[in-house]
């Protein structure tokens, strides 16, 4: 007899129970990441737990309440439905968000090695319990967004779930070489301009007198906050330094042992930081900060967010650099592959989105773009307007 319960903090679940569910999955559904965002999202967070007949934890589903004006990328109506069909906001917003509410790389936490039928049943049980919480929170809709390949497979295996749609694409570089020269040869196989560009950008960077060193986030909290803020302000983000400091302190408290800062220096002066998290066989690139006014214009962005992480991954035996969403053209030009991120949403008061012809056509265009692997097509479909 399985057991399903609702808890309001991961502190109610031991790390020894949680760890087997998170091994081999995305960092963005790991214990450190989920605990960090629990601290940021409380009280609008809960977790459905699923236990087998022996009382062992074999499933966990984080739940987040999306209130109006919050979690904008996880507001399925505002991010997707509003512009893709004739949907009524009252049917779809606010919503219950499943899995996570940040980072755009989502999947379901189930016991590793579970037989397909058993895993499907666990996910189905978790979804049913989530619907009960949706009713308690009094929101009209539920959504699971930015599911990676594994999350999409898990959801598709559950009978009766809504037809998924393409939320976006993510960029990853598979480390299939044991040297930097191997990476350059790989780029050359994609086109001479790509390898020539990588050589030029790394040579200009080295000639500028820069060094890149490693640190933990917790070692450079103030510098990271300053540099992240400078870059975000350049692109219109008005988050205060105090709010960002609070966020970074929580990340350092919960996930510092997995953090990796690539620190850009000229002499003793820190001019940039690129934050990554190390999990399983993957380097997850998270956030960049640069003091643009003091840079040399020597491809600092590409070196700090792509080339240095690739060197690090090769040297340390990591098999993948996860670059996430956005800047698709730049990432694909430097060897990244795009992979679709899917979502599904359902409402207590309306038909599934796929029932609308306009939405189905919109989704079909996005699916074709995601599968094309063509930089121009991907940018035209998923790039910023």
């Amino acid at each position: 007899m399985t057991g399903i319960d609702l808890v309001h903090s991961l502190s109610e679940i031991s790390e020894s129970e949680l760890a087997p569910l998170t091994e081999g999955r995305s960092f963005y559904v790991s214990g450190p990441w989920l605990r960090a965002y629990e601290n940021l999202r409380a009280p609008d967070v809960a977790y459905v737990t699923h236990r087998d007949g022996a009382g062992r934890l074999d499933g966990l589903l984080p739940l987040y309440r999306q209130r109006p004006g919050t979690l904008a990328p996880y507001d399925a109506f505002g991010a997707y439905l509003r512009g893709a069909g004739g949907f009524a906001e009252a049917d779809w917003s606010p919503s219950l968000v499943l899995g996570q509410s940040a980072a755009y790389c989502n999947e379901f936490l189930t016991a590793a090695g579970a037989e397909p039928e058993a895993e499907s049943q666990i996910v189905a049980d978790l979804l049913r319990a989530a619907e009960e919480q949706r009713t308690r929170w009094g929101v009209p809709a539920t959504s699971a967004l930015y599911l990676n390949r594994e999350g999409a497979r898990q959801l598709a295996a559950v009978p009766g779930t809504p037809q998924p749609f393409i939320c976006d694409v993510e960029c990853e570089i598979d480390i299939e070489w044991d040297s930097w020269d191997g990476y350059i040869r790989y780029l050359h196989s994609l086109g001479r301009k790509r390898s020539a560009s990588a050589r030029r950008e790394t040579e200009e960077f080295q000639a500028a007198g820069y060094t890149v060193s490693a640190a933990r986030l917790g070692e450079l909290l103030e510098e990271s906050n300053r540099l992240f803020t400078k870059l975000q302000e350049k692109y219109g983000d008005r988050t205060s330094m105090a709010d960002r400091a609070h966020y970074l302190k929580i990340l350092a408290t919960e996930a510092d042992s997995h953090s990796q800062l690539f620190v850009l220096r000229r002499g003793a002066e820190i001019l940039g930081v690129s934050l990554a998290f190390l999990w399983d066989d993957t380097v997850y690139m998270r956030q960049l900060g640069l003091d643009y006014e003091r840079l040399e214009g020597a491809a600092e962005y590409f070196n700090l967010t792509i080339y240095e992480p690739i060197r690090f991954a090769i040297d340390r035996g990591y098999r993948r650099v996860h670059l996430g969403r956005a800047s698709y053209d730049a990432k694909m030009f430097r060897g990244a592959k795009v992979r679709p991120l899917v979502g599904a949403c359902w409402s207590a008061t309306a038909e599934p989105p796929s029932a609308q012809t306009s939405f189905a056509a919109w989704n079909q265009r996005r699916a074709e773009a995601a599968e094309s692997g063509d930089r121009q097509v991907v940018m035209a479909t998923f790039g910023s307007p």
Side-chain angles (χ1 to χ4, degrees), residues 187-352:
L187 288 182
H188 191 77
S189 73
L190 301 176
R192 294 181 60 184
K193 287 185 178 180
R194 301 192 189 200
S195 57
S197 179
R199 288 194 185 97
R200 184 185 68 254
E201 289 168 343
T202 53
E203 288 170 0
E204 289 176 353
F205 184 77
Q206 292 164 1
Y210 292 131
T211 61
V212 177
S213 59
R216 297 289 191 195
L217 174 62
E219 297 169 358
L220 290 174
L221 276 175
E222 290 188 11
E223 280 298 303
S224 296
N225 188 19
R226 179 182 70 83
L227 291 163
F228 291 152
T229 299
K230 286 183 75 70
L231 184 63
Q232 293 303 312
E233 286 180 345
K234 177 181 173 70
Y235 293 101
D237 185 339
R238 295 294 177 255
T239 302
S240 70
M241 286 191 70
D243 286 345
R244 187 169 281 109
H246 175 64
Y247 156 75
L248 292 175
K249 184 176 181 181
I250 288 174
L251 278 187
T253 298
E254 299 295 348
D256 207 37
S257 63
H258 301 283
S259 72
Q260 171 74 28
L261 279 178
F262 298 91
V263 185
L264 176 67
R265 285 185 167 90
R266 185 171 50 214
E269 188 178 30
I270 297 178
L271 300 177
V273 292
S274 185
L275 173 62
F277 289 98
L278 311 177
W279 185 258
D280 194 39
D281 64 353
T282 302
V283 179
Y284 289 87
M285 302 309 300
R286 179 61 190 169
Q287 192 167 359
L288 174 68
L290 287 171
D291 193 342
Y292 271 109
E293 296 174 357
R294 306 174 76 177
L295 299 180
E296 298 292 328
E300 293 89 352
Y301 173 89
F302 300 124
N303 278 275
L304 212 55
T305 61
I306 298 178
Y307 299 138
E308 288 297 324
I310 288 174
R311 292 182 192 273
F312 176 87
I314 291 171
D315 291 344
R316 302 295 181 88
Y318 288 91
R319 304 312 307 161
R320 188 175 298 106
V321 177
H322 183 270
L323 298 172
R325 299 160 68 236
S327 302
Y328 306 109
D329 186 61
K331 293 170 182 176
M332 294 175 73
F333 184 76
R334 290 161 181 82
K337 298 174 183 176
V338 294
R339 288 158 180 153
L341 295 168
V342 309
C345 54
W346 48 100
S347 169
T349 57
E351 291 183 312

Side-chain angles (χ1 to χ4, degrees), residues 61-244:
L61 182 59
L63 312 177
Y64 301 90
R65 175 164 47 179
Q66 180 263 321
R67 298 176 185 269
T70 66
L71 306 183
Y74 285 79
D75 172 6
F77 175 79
Y80 300 107
L81 303 186
R82 187 197 303 273
F87 300 97
E89 184 171 3
D91 292 327
W92 298 100
S93 183
S95 66
L96 174 71
V97 177
L98 307 181
Q100 58 143 283
S101 62
Y104 318 112
C105 186
N106 196 6
E107 59 191 283
F108 293 93
L109 291 173
T110 58
E115 293 295 326
E117 185 175 344
E119 181 185 50
S120 175
Q121 187 60 58
I122 292 169
V123 176
D125 290 344
L126 292 171
L127 293 177
R128 279 194 294 272
E131 281 298 286
E132 295 176 5
Q133 182 63 18
R134 178 194 62 76
T135 302
R136 285 192 289 268
W137 272 344
V139 297
T142 300
S143 61
L145 302 180
Y146 310 108
L147 293 166
N148 59 19
R149 288 175 295 182
E150 177 66 3
R153 180 197 65 78
Q154 291 170 306
L155 185 68
V158 178
T161 53
Q163 182 177 339
F165 61 90
I166 303 295
C167 294
D168 210 316
V169 292
E170 63 179 358
C171 295
E172 292 183 327
I173 294 179
D174 295 320
I175 306 299
E176 300 172 339
W177 337 277
D178 57 8
S179 69
W180 176 257
D181 286 342
Y183 168 63
I184 295 297
R185 287 193 295 271
Y186 164 68
L187 288 182
H188 191 77
S189 73
L190 301 176
R192 294 181 60 184
K193 287 185 178 180
R194 301 192 189 200
S195 57
S197 179
R199 288 194 185 97
R200 184 185 68 254
E201 289 168 343
T202 53
E203 288 170 0
E204 289 176 353
F205 184 77
Q206 292 164 1
Y210 292 131
T211 61
V212 177
S213 59
R216 297 289 191 195
L217 174 62
E219 297 169 358
L220 290 174
L221 276 175
E222 290 188 11
E223 280 298 303
S224 296
N225 188 19
R226 179 182 70 83
L227 291 163
F228 291 152
T229 299
K230 286 183 75 70
L231 184 63
Q232 293 303 312
E233 286 180 345
K234 177 181 173 70
Y235 293 101
D237 185 339
R238 295 294 177 255
T239 302
S240 70
M241 286 191 70
D243 286 345
R244 187 169 281 109

